Amino acid sequence: MPTYRMRVGEEWYTVEVGDVSRSPVEVNVGGQTYYVEIEEAEPSAIQPRTRRGRRPPSRIAPPALPRVGGAVPAFDPSDKVLRAPMPGRVIAIRVRPGDRVATGDEVCVVEAMKMEQSIRAAQDGVIKEIFVQPMDSVGANDALIEME
């Protein structure tokens, strides 16, 4: 796979890109594998820029995120799973498994429509599992972080 150095914001990443003639395309970013769908891609070339100079959007398909009991409210203090309040992209994870958090502590940040939404612990506890990582796309009510 060809390897590139790419900058997202202020961070640089080593990215390996698989065969772009097939969808989804396997992309390895810092040892983590993603499957990327490229819309309207031509098999022999990377997408051209649009008239406004931007590339058409592509979607990153993160690993399947667990859903507990189907659709539930994004904020449920009795639920040990913190969920995305809206569709968007995870831009920061502030905790690691095993971290102790207090009610109201920021655990991650989701961006939607150029606005950042802080996801905060609904209760005191310990981070059990993190289902997402920065730059993952999430849907409304997708599981982000599980607490013990």
Side-chain angles (χ1 to χ4, degrees), residues 4 11 26-27 31 37 51 74 78 81 99 115:
Y4 302 93
E11 296 285 327
E26 182 177 338
V27 177
E37 294 181 24
R51 285 186 290 174
S78 65
V81 177
D99 285 357
M115 294 182 65

Side-chain angles (χ1 to χ4, degrees), residues 79-121:
D79 191 359
K80 297 285 187 183
V81 177
L82 300 174
R83 300 176 178 283
M86 66 193 90
R89 182 184 322 213
V90 176
I91 60 171
I93 304 288
R94 307 278 190 225
V95 294
R96 294 181 185 179
D99 285 357
R100 189 168 291 285
V101 295
T103 303
D105 285 352
E106 183 179 70
V107 295
C108 71
V109 180
V110 174
E111 178 187 60
M113 300 181 345
K114 299 189 181 192
M115 294 182 65
E116 294 181 7
Q117 174 73 44
S118 288
I119 308 302
R120 299 184 179 277

Side-chain angles (χ1 to χ4, degrees), residues 5-147:
R5 291 280 295 155
M6 294 184 181
R7 187 169 89 178
V8 178
E10 298 299 316
E11 296 285 327
W12 282 94
Y13 299 91
T14 300
V15 179
E16 295 176 313
V17 180
D19 182 2
V20 295
S21 67
R22 297 184 359 203
S23 186
V25 177
E26 182 177 338
V27 177
N28 186 305
V29 180
Q32 179 71 35
T33 300
Y34 299 91
Y35 293 91
V36 179
E37 294 181 24
I38 301 176
E39 295 177 348
E40 301 177 22
E42 297 177 26
S44 62
I46 295 178
Q47 291 180 320
R49 296 188 181 274
T50 64
R51 285 186 290 174
R52 292 191 176 129
R54 290 187 238 153
R55 292 190 187 277
S58 60
R59 289 178 279 186
I60 294 178
L65 300 174
R67 292 181 184 264
V68 180
V72 297
F75 179 76
D76 180 358
S78 65
D79 191 359
K80 297 285 187 183
V81 177
L82 300 174
R83 300 176 178 283
M86 66 193 90
R89 182 184 322 213
V90 176
I91 60 171
I93 304 288
R94 307 278 190 225
V95 294
R96 294 181 185 179
D99 285 357
R100 189 168 291 285
V101 295
T103 303
D105 285 352
E106 183 179 70
V107 295
C108 71
V109 180
V110 174
E111 178 187 60
M113 300 181 345
K114 299 189 181 192
M115 294 182 65
E116 294 181 7
Q117 174 73 44
S118 288
I119 308 302
R120 299 184 179 277
Q123 56 191 303
D124 295 352
V126 176
I127 302 301
K128 180 177 179 183
E129 188 171 357
I130 300 173
F131 301 114
V132 294
Q133 59 186 333
M135 302 310 292
D136 281 355
S137 293
V138 294
N141 294 328
D142 280 352
L144 302 172
I145 296 174
E146 183 177 9
M147 296 177 55

